[in-house]
Structure formats: C-alpha cells, structure tokens
Amino acid sequence: MKRFTKKLIAFLGIFAAVLLALDLLSATERFRGAFAVLTDSSGYEEEAEREVSAYLAKSRMPGSYTKLLVGDSVCAQMTEAFFDCNQQYCLVGNNRALTMAGEYLLVKEFLETHENVSEVWLMAGPDLLQTSIDATYSYSYVVLPFLQADLLDELDEETAEEMEETFGSLFLKKPVAELIAGSAVNRKLYLNYVKEREEALEKGESRENQTVGMSDLAERYLRKIYELCDAQGVACYLIPDPLADTPARRKQVEQIWQDFETRGLERLFPDYFSEITYYPADQFSDGIHFGRPYNTKEVYREKLRELYLDRGYLDGFQI
C-alpha cells in the first residue's frame, strides 16, 4: 500500500510538473499562437490591451493640441475619420468597456503631457454612465492595460475594492496578471471562471439591488474628471451620443436623468440631457452605432455639425 501511495504521489507530481511546463510554454512568444489554436482560445488573445495601449498613446501624443475629445465607441465611430485634419483637438474615442475610470486616466495622461490645454470634451452615451467594473470586460480593458502602464494605482480605493471583489487581489498583482495576459489559455480559463462566478452571484441578487440608473463608479470619475480639469483651469464639458429612438432607450435615459439630478451632477453638466438627440432606430446597426448607409464620413460630418457645431459645442473642430 505504501509503495502504491508513493507511486501515486510521484505520478501526480510529474503530472503537475508537465501541466505547469505546458502552461508556461503557452505564454511564450514561440508557442502562444499554437496553444491558443489547440485549446480554442484564440478569441482570448491580447486585442483589448493593444486597443487600450493605442488610446493611451493617442492621449500622450506630442503636438500642439490644446483640446481633448474623449469618449465611448460612438465618439470613436463618428470622429476617427477627422483625426488628421484636427490640430487643436486630440481625438481619443475609445470603448465604454474602459469605464469612466479609464476615461479619467486618459484625461489625466493628456493633461500631464500637454501644455496650454483649454478644453476637455467627454462624449458619452447612457451605457457608459451605467458601466461599472464587471467580470466580462474589465480585466482585459481596465486591469491588464493600466496595470502594465503603471496607472492602476491612480484609481481610488473604492475602485480597488471593486476590482478585488470581482477578480481577487492575487490577480491584480503584476507578475500574476502578466502570466494571465501572456497566455490565451490562462486568460480563457480565468475569465470564464470569473464570469461564471459573477453570474451565480447575480442570480442570487434581488432585482431591487440591481443598478438601473447611473453607476457609482461613473459618478465618482465624472466628478474626478471635472475636478482635475477645474484645478488646472481647463473647461470640462459632457456631451451626449446620438441615440436610437426606441422605448427602451428613452426609459434608460429617464432613469439615468433622475439619478443624475439626485446625485447633483447637473450642477457640473447642466445641458447634457437637454441636448440628447434621437434618430430613427433603423439608422443603427446594433441599437448603438450607426449602420449602413449612415456610417460614412459624409453622414458623420452632417451629424457632427447638426449635433454639436451648430449648437456651439466643439468650437474649432475641423470636419
């Protein structure tokens, strides 16, 4: 019996060592792609981090920029085509998965790397105002890229606690996060576990406790963006995305509007909700972004003029 036990322990030790070796190989440059294909993990590669790194690079891009336009993916969709023709405006349209905390870090980096800044414009839809740290996107779009850029510590204690609760403090340590990030296999296993855990917790949560208005995180970082700009004598504006005219969208906006007023944010951004413009739902491909034939540079030019320039917003923006 003792001999069997020893052999079993030896076998398990060898098996564990082989698994560890394979896991480490999956994080190497040479074998990363092969392991991703073999384990059906190709969809878990480093696209999100590369995406956020590009946003950070834009916010830090040297130049004579005196204004910043930052915002969600609708902002990106509508303004990317005009990047090269704007010398005053640095355009950093991104993705709501960054959350308002990510928008804050982009604004902060822009202000720290540019002189004589006069204006910061934040273009945001209701989804960004509701987004919090979550298991589906936040590890790839917030934790990993900003940890790699040594910016995660710039976020407040409440955010740190939210990330620890969602991901576990061990997985917010740089060496562990790099091991996760370096292997599509590790990322798939870990993120699927975290997502399943969050879904199980949400099933046990009453509907009364689920957020229907603005997220606490969005409120905190909207205030931080405003205060950061104000401390440096920079004007800060919040402008809305164009929205699809559907009952669900209108209900969502009404809920956030009430919450916005209750939290006292209308004192900082008094015109945000009154400037929301709805377009027929058939102009949108997914209820959020413009689809064919409304997703062309010419149409974006018309809508930017109609929504912002003709109303006195984004002064000096070139289209």
Side-chain angles (χ1 to χ4, degrees):
M1 187 67 180
K2 288 182 179 179
R3 289 182 62 190
F4 173 77
T5 302
K6 288 180 180 179
K7 288 181 178 180
L8 179 61
I9 292 171
F11 170 77
L12 291 175
I14 293 169
F15 184 67
V18 170
L19 286 179
L20 178 60
L22 290 172
D23 185 68
L24 292 174
L25 278 175
S26 75
T28 62
E29 191 73 31
R30 183 176 179 182
F31 295 103
R32 185 180 301 158
F35 273 90
V37 172
L38 286 171
T39 57
D40 193 26
S41 306
S42 299
Y44 291 82
E45 294 188 270
E46 300 167 287
E47 291 180 15
E49 292 99 289
R50 287 194 288 267
E51 188 180 328
V52 179
S53 293
Y55 303 147
L56 273 171
K58 279 186 177 181
S59 70
R60 295 165 169 168
M61 185 179 293
S64 57
Y65 301 119
T66 57
K67 301 178 182 183
L68 171 68
L69 174 57
V70 65
D72 56 25
S73 56
V74 176
C75 173
Q77 182 190 40
M78 295 183 67
T79 64
E80 266 182 2
F82 306 102
F83 185 88
D84 291 334
C85 62
N86 277 280
Q87 281 73 51
Q88 271 189 302
Y89 281 87
C90 179
L91 309 181
V92 194
N94 50 78
N95 188 319
R96 75 177 175 93
L98 271 72
T99 76
M100 199 63 75
E103 306 293 351
Y104 165 76
L105 292 176
L106 293 176
V107 171
K108 186 173 183 294
E109 288 300 293
F110 178 78
L111 293 177
E112 287 183 355
T113 52
H114 294 82
E115 298 179 351
N116 304 314
V117 177
S118 60
E119 297 172 2
V120 167
W121 296 83
L122 173 59
M123 186 187 296
D127 296 326
L128 179 56
L129 296 178
Q130 288 187 315
T131 302
S132 287
I133 298 299
D134 66 46
T136 304
Y137 297 109
S138 297
Y139 199 74
S140 297
Y141 279 93
V142 180
V143 174
L144 291 178
F146 292 119
L147 187 62
Q148 291 166 359
D150 295 321
L151 292 173
L152 205 62
D153 289 341
E154 300 290 334
L155 302 179
D156 61 27
E157 288 185 16
E158 292 94 331
T159 310
E161 289 172 3
E162 289 168 18
M163 291 189 295
E164 286 182 9
E165 185 177 339
T166 305
F167 304 112
S169 57
L170 175 65
F171 295 93
L172 301 178
K173 307 292 184 185
K174 201 166 187 178
V176 178
E178 287 176 348
L179 185 61
I180 297 291
S183 166
V185 180
N186 289 344
R187 191 191 299 254
K188 179 180 180 179
L189 291 171
Y190 173 65
L191 293 182
N192 283 341
Y193 161 73
V194 172
K195 188 175 180 180
E196 288 174 8
R197 178 175 171 271
E198 183 177 75
E199 288 172 352
L201 291 172
E202 286 177 351
K203 283 182 181 177
E205 187 177 322
S206 68
R207 290 194 174 187
E208 292 179 1
N209 293 330
Q210 293 177 4
T211 301
V212 293
M214 188 176 185
S215 73
D216 292 338
L217 180 141
E219 179 197 352
R220 291 200 312 273
Y221 284 98
L222 260 182
R223 291 186 184 279
K224 287 179 183 294
I225 290 170
Y226 184 90
E227 291 164 1
L228 181 65
C229 292
D230 189 55
Q232 299 189 34
V234 176
C236 181
Y237 304 97
L238 178 66
I239 52 177
D241 291 345
L243 301 180
D245 194 0
T246 64
R249 251 320 184 211
R250 287 185 177 270
K251 182 179 180 181
Q252 180 191 30
V253 168
E254 184 62 32
Q255 290 171 332
I256 296 173
W257 193 347
Q258 292 174 6
D259 209 8
F260 201 84
E261 290 180 339
T262 301
R263 294 169 186 260
L265 287 167
E266 80 283 353
R267 292 193 296 271
L268 305 181
F269 308 105
D271 302 321
Y272 177 78
F273 288 94
S274 63
E275 293 292 348
I276 289 178
T277 300
Y278 293 91
Y279 289 92
D282 61 8
Q283 293 191 17
F284 297 80
S285 61
D286 55 4
I288 299 172
H289 305 93
F290 287 109
R292 295 178 181 175
Y294 303 98
N295 58 350
T296 66
K297 185 175 181 178
E298 287 306 312
V299 174
Y300 295 150
R301 181 179 284 115
E302 292 174 12
K303 291 193 185 298
L304 285 167
R305 183 179 291 113
E306 176 185 325
L307 290 166
Y308 310 115
L309 304 187
D310 288 351
R311 299 181 186 184
Y313 299 121
L314 298 176
D315 182 49
F317 189 85
Q318 300 298 309
I319 55 173

